[in-house]
Amino acid sequence: MSKGSDAPRKPASAPTLATEVKYLKGAGPAVAQRLRALGIEQVRELLFHLPLRYEDRRRITPVTKLRDGEEAQVWARVLHAEVRYAGRRSLRVLVDDGEASLLLRFFHFNEAQRQAFQPDRWIQAYGPVRHGAQGWEMVHPEYRLADRPEDLRTEDRLTPIYPLTTGITQARLRALAQQALKIAEGDGGLATPLPELGEPGTLAALRTLHQPPGDADTDALLACAHPAQRRLVREELLAHQLSMRLLRNRVKAGAAPKIGGLAAARKELQAGLPFSLTGAQQRVIGEIARDLDSARPMLRLVQGDVGSGKTLVAAAAMLTAVRAGWQAALMAPTELLAEQHARNFRQWLEPLGVEVQLLASKLKKSAKDAVLARIAGGGAGIVIGTHAVFQSAVSFHRLGLVVVDEQHRFGVQQRLALRDKGRGRLSPHQLIMSATPIPRTLAQTVYADLDVSIIDELPPGRSPVVTGAMSNEKRGEVLARIGEVCAQGRQAYWVCTLVEESEQVEAQAAEDTALQLRAELPGLRVGLVHGRLKPEEKDLQMRAFKEGLTQLLVATTVIEVGVDVPNASIMIIENAERLGLSQLHQLRGRVGRGAVESQCLLLYKPPLSEMARQRLAVMRETNDGFRVAQKDLELRGPGELFGRRQTGVIGMKLADPLRDADLVAPLQALADRWLQQQPGRAELLIGRWIGDVGKYAQV
Ligand code: ADP
Ligand code: MG
């Protein structure tokens, strides 16, 4: 490999899609380096770096016809320009198109720019329009100045706008995209007809997107509804399905232990419970039973709202494995949750003679060695730990089932890695419990490699949580409410949240809050739990709260997932305006677990942004996690829910898993057909949209 500082040499042969971008005109090593931030190294990636949207600079809009909030192009004469110092320094340029005037405002400008705005010169400005206090205005338009109106020019096609990175301009990307298109003309792969996906062909569609012809249906392009866009959306969704199905097939091609007897294990478990399993739990357990009783590894996701009882479903499956002579492992996302699971499993399963081991990360070496020995020797039927713990070397005697709890970032690669934890040629079965319910239509895209079961019923006797939002200026009322609740023998959570990622800062804030609350509510026993406590201390605090020894638990978001204290009936969440909907819903799920009506108070610091106002409104409106998830997606886009651009999980260039959900079902069938009958094509498409087929082929 050549170093970035090497002067680029022209490759001997004509450039292809695999040529590095640094060999293109206008893309020296420095530009190439920056393009890397956009995931662009080869011409192929440039070709598939598609415009986010288009601007219409073909039309000139008279100032009198401008519309608030829309982008427009205006041609006008400069009246005068001045620099103002009120508040922020700004350059204000008043222009007039003969019928009305328009104010252009700039906050970043230099002296030369200012000088150029001479009265009577002509300007062509493009930007978002607002109706402000002084009439129409544009902030930071793109513009061109000329001495005579004849020297201004409109575009004859839509202007593509690309996702950018620092140091790369739209103009540069447009020029590079042109070159990529030229090179693509000579590429045989791109010319492969794919009639199942409809017209136009891939290359023609790419050309339309990068360089919309003058007569293209612009409304459609702007709405991402143009046939060329729809065609590429289908192709991308198909590529995505193909890669996920391919990975699924690789796992499924392995052999797994055939584990029967789930019905008996379920009865055994049920006998020790003070309640009966819900219909939904029983149905999902039935779906798992069929998977376990097959000689192929199970790949199943269980989706269910917070509190729907996913843990018992997992316990039934794990007990089944143990009864059939296999070991089962449970991976939790946090230490706190692993500890809680261990407590529950011991309570449920030890009376049945099953050994449960917790592989805590902070065990002393000798204790840890002892646990590892129990696992390796097969004495431990059930092993619980965090994901991190399982990534280190743990060897099992006979691992038959792995359950992954509360994880939505558990990628395909990690799922594949689990295969190696099995015994001999046998891979363990895999059961994944979702952290965040997502709409079914989205699940078929995101979890295309998994079978999905849904627990769509909460255990009986729960009353819904009443959610309210309150300014933090009303702290006094909130404290009074906590006092009332605790006087009735109930308990309360106070959740401290910070945007800073540092566990230490967050822990400090929680400690301060606990001190303050102890002073403000002298009659209450206040507990405290955060991520910096020693495991024993954390355990002690959780246990004290669970047993009612403390009444108010101050906590950081470490309690977000899974913590279960049914007597807690009120939760206060500080800085709620800064949290995402899914996180708020997860937190709120800690209350409303008993029969008493529960309350969740979202404290915010005014003034609220429009987005925050909408999020809090959603929380007040609904308790349904699937609806919250849907709203969450609508408000912030799927990328953020799953982490940005995770290849193989969701990183899509053009398709929008929410908008395009209805296209997916027919493509699933097509993907399966191709994988069987035309694996070459499948690899072609994966390579084109997702890249690096080799990565998938090796594992
Ligand atoms: P989650 O799906 O959020 O992981 P949990 O498995 O933690 O939910 O269950 C939440 C609570 O509901 C626990 O206290 C659990 O014991 C209880 N639970 C589970 N199933 C039932 C049921 N069928 N009837 C009553 N309570 C149940
Ligand atoms: Mg759970």
Side-chain angles (χ1 to χ4, degrees):
M1 239 187 57
S2 61
K3 292 197 197 80
S5 58
D6 285 354
R9 270 178 297 123
K10 280 255 176 260
S13 49
T16 68
L17 292 185
T19 301
E20 287 178 60
V21 284
K22 68 178 177 200
Y23 296 115
L24 298 184
K25 228 172 79 210
V31 170
Q33 182 71 36
R34 289 182 166 146
L35 286 173
R36 207 162 292 158
L38 294 170
I40 302 174
E41 294 193 20
Q42 299 177 0
V43 172
R44 180 194 327 280
E45 285 138 2
L46 196 53
L47 189 64
F48 284 89
H49 187 68
L50 298 171
L52 281 175
R53 61 191 180 89
Y54 297 88
E55 287 178 358
D56 189 352
R57 303 182 187 182
R58 297 166 310 160
R59 268 191 291 271
I60 303 159
T61 310
V63 176
T64 53
K65 295 267 165 59
L66 290 176
R67 294 234 294 260
D68 205 0
E70 285 184 6
E71 296 189 342
Q73 174 171 236
V74 169
W75 284 16
R77 212 157 44 89
V78 175
L79 294 182
H80 81 116
E82 61 172 353
V83 177
R84 284 264 187 106
Y85 294 91
R88 241 173 117 189
R89 181 170 169 266
S90 71
L91 171 62
R92 301 158 65 93
V93 182
L94 194 66
V95 302
D96 187 295
D97 72 349
E99 288 178 19
S101 62
L102 168 71
L103 181 66
L104 311 180
R105 302 203 297 153
F106 300 87
F107 296 102
H108 308 281
F109 57 93
N110 57 34
E111 184 55 22
Q113 243 174 319
R114 189 184 77 79
Q115 291 287 348
F117 288 109
Q118 291 299 327
D120 285 338
R121 291 194 81 191
W122 284 80
I123 186 166
Q124 163 176 10
Y126 185 97
V129 178
R130 269 196 354 175
H131 197 75
Q134 287 129 38
W136 292 109
E137 55 181 52
M138 268 186 201
V139 176
H140 272 282
E142 273 190 47
Y143 67 91
R144 185 154 60 196
L145 283 162
D147 291 327
R148 302 171 311 161
E150 303 87 86
D151 297 335
L152 299 180
R153 242 173 299 110
T154 53
E155 305 284 334
D156 57 4
R157 49 180 72 191
L158 290 183
T159 309
I161 305 296
Y162 293 93
L164 282 188
T165 183
T166 28
I168 302 283
T169 60
Q170 291 294 349
R172 171 91 66 194
L173 270 175
R174 272 173 225 144
L176 288 169
Q178 309 299 313
Q179 296 179 63
L181 276 171
K182 278 239 166 55
I183 295 168
E185 311 278 348
D187 183 86
L190 277 175
T192 310
L194 305 171
E196 296 96 327
L197 292 174
E199 290 297 316
T202 310
L203 188 54
L206 285 170
R207 212 180 291 123
T208 303
L209 264 61
H210 284 296
Q211 305 178 306
D215 61 354
D217 179 348
T218 46
D219 289 342
L221 266 179
L222 292 168
C224 198
H226 191 281
Q229 288 164 315
R230 303 316 292 159
R231 165 65 175 69
L232 288 179
V233 162
R234 282 196 299 278
E235 187 175 313
E236 179 173 28
L237 287 171
L238 178 61
H240 185 78
Q241 289 292 326
L242 284 168
S243 71
M244 304 275 279
R245 310 293 273 198
L246 185 64
L247 287 162
R248 175 189 166 83
N249 292 350
R250 291 203 203 289
V251 173
K252 284 278 183 190
K258 199 161 146 44
I259 297 177
L262 193 141
R266 192 190 79 202
K267 280 206 196 88
E268 213 187 336
L269 183 66
Q270 173 72 76
L273 294 176
F275 47 74
S276 32
L277 295 170
T278 63
Q281 281 172 318
Q282 298 191 31
R283 176 173 43 75
V284 170
I285 288 174
E287 287 163 10
I288 294 169
R290 276 195 296 281
D291 288 353
L292 288 178
D293 203 4
S294 129
R296 298 286 168 205
M298 166 167 74
L299 273 175
R300 185 167 290 278
L301 173 80
V302 174
Q303 284 222 75
D305 209 344
V306 267
S308 60
K310 295 185 283 288
T311 319
L312 271 168
V313 169
M318 293 170 82
L319 179 60
T320 310
V322 173
R323 287 294 182 242
W326 295 87
Q327 290 170 295
L330 174 61
M331 299 189 189
T334 65
E335 198 76 18
L336 193 62
L337 206 55
E339 289 157 21
Q340 177 182 291
H341 280 322
R343 252 194 317 274
N344 281 332
F345 277 73
R346 282 183 178 134
Q347 191 192 327
W348 294 329
L349 302 180
E350 277 178 357
L352 305 176
V354 175
E355 181 176 325
V356 177
Q357 288 290 356
L358 172 64
L359 200 51
S361 64
K362 283 158 195 158
L363 282 179
K364 291 223 176 61
K365 177 148 190 340
S366 56
K368 186 166 182 190
D369 287 346
V371 173
L372 287 173
R374 293 301 296 166
I375 299 171
I382 288 191
V383 185
I384 297 172
T386 60
H387 300 291
V389 164
F390 282 105
Q391 262 152 34
S392 61
V394 180
S395 72
F396 288 85
H397 179 60
R398 274 162 70 82
L399 182 61
L401 168 65
V402 176
V403 179
V404 180
D405 188 34
E406 304 284 2
Q407 183 66 288
H408 52 233
R409 293 195 198 84
F410 196 71
V412 171
Q413 299 299 331
Q414 285 145 300
R415 293 206 271 278
L416 278 167
L418 284 180
R419 285 191 309 177
D420 309 332
K421 294 262 179 206
R423 177 189 163 84
R425 287 178 30 260
L426 295 184
S427 306
H429 294 283
Q430 299 181 29
L431 184 64
I432 292 136
M433 323 291 265
S434 76
T436 312
I438 60 174
R440 187 187 279 272
T441 45
L442 186 58
Q444 63 183 2
T445 301
V446 178
Y447 299 118
D449 60 328
L450 300 175
D451 300 302
V452 179
S453 291
I454 297 183
I455 309 183
D456 50 5
E457 180 185 355
L458 291 180
R462 303 248 172 102
S463 35
V465 181
V466 177
T467 303
M470 249 179 170
S471 153
N472 59 7
E473 288 152 6
K474 299 198 178 153
R475 187 184 172 93
E477 285 174 37
V478 176
L479 295 180
R481 182 78 195 119
I482 294 177
E484 277 168 39
V485 168
C486 292
Q488 292 161 4
R490 305 276 154 202
Q491 291 163 281
Y493 289 105
W494 185 290
V495 186
C496 303
T497 67
L498 287 179
V499 258
E500 283 89 330
E501 286 287 292
S502 151
E503 207 177 49
Q504 187 175 356
V505 178
E506 198 170 61
Q508 186 59 49
E511 291 193 1
D512 295 346
T513 305
L515 274 180
Q516 192 184 351
L517 287 169
R518 281 186 186 119
E520 288 166 330
L521 296 163
L524 289 193
R525 298 182 301 274
V526 179
L528 170 67
V529 51
H530 57 67
R532 300 279 282 191
L533 292 182
K534 290 213 183 70
E536 314 85 74
E537 179 67 10
K538 224 182 320 186
D539 192 51
L540 212 67
Q541 288 287 346
M542 287 313 299
R543 201 180 283 265
F545 189 62
K546 197 151 189 164
E547 289 168 3
L549 299 176
T550 47
Q551 297 159 287
L552 171 62
L553 184 64
V554 176
T556 58
T557 49
V558 295
I559 62 150
E560 181 182 345
V561 279
V563 172
D564 190 39
V565 180
N567 191 48
S569 70
I570 185 168
M571 170 175 282
I572 318 297
I573 305 178
E574 279 189 297
N575 300 324
E577 80 276 12
R578 299 188 197 162
L579 300 188
L581 273 177
S582 296
Q583 199 179 10
L584 286 172
H585 182 69
Q586 277 289 338
L587 285 168
R588 176 172 64 179
R590 303 308 110 217
V591 290
R593 300 189 152 226
V596 161
E597 182 167 286
S598 295
Q599 223 185 342
C600 177
L601 290 179
L602 307 172
L603 290 190
Y604 63 84
K605 185 165 166 249
L608 277 182
S609 71
E610 177 55 24
M611 175 68 92
R613 199 190 57 72
Q614 286 190 34
R615 280 208 294 259
L616 297 186
V618 172
M619 290 298 292
R620 297 217 309 268
E621 269 161 40
T622 183
N623 273 302
D624 176 343
F626 286 95
R627 262 193 60 72
V628 169
Q630 176 86 29
K631 283 286 175 192
D632 199 17
L633 282 168
E634 287 167 14
L635 289 176
R636 59 179 190 166
E640 288 167 79
L641 179 55
F642 299 100
R644 296 226 151 262
R645 299 257 147 180
Q646 294 181 52
T647 306
V649 181
I650 193 121
M652 299 207 175
K653 301 177 202 296
L654 195 61
D656 174 338
L658 207 58
R659 180 195 63 202
D660 304 320
D662 55 328
L663 300 177
V664 173
L667 293 175
Q668 279 176 326
L670 184 59
D672 285 338
R673 210 166 68 226
W674 276 21
L675 284 173
Q676 278 184 7
Q677 297 166 6
Q678 296 181 295
R681 275 197 188 183
E683 299 219 340
L684 181 78
L685 239 58
I686 294 172
R688 198 180 274 177
W689 288 90
I690 295 162
D692 210 358
V693 196
K695 186 170 75 197
Y696 297 96
Q698 285 159 21
V699 270

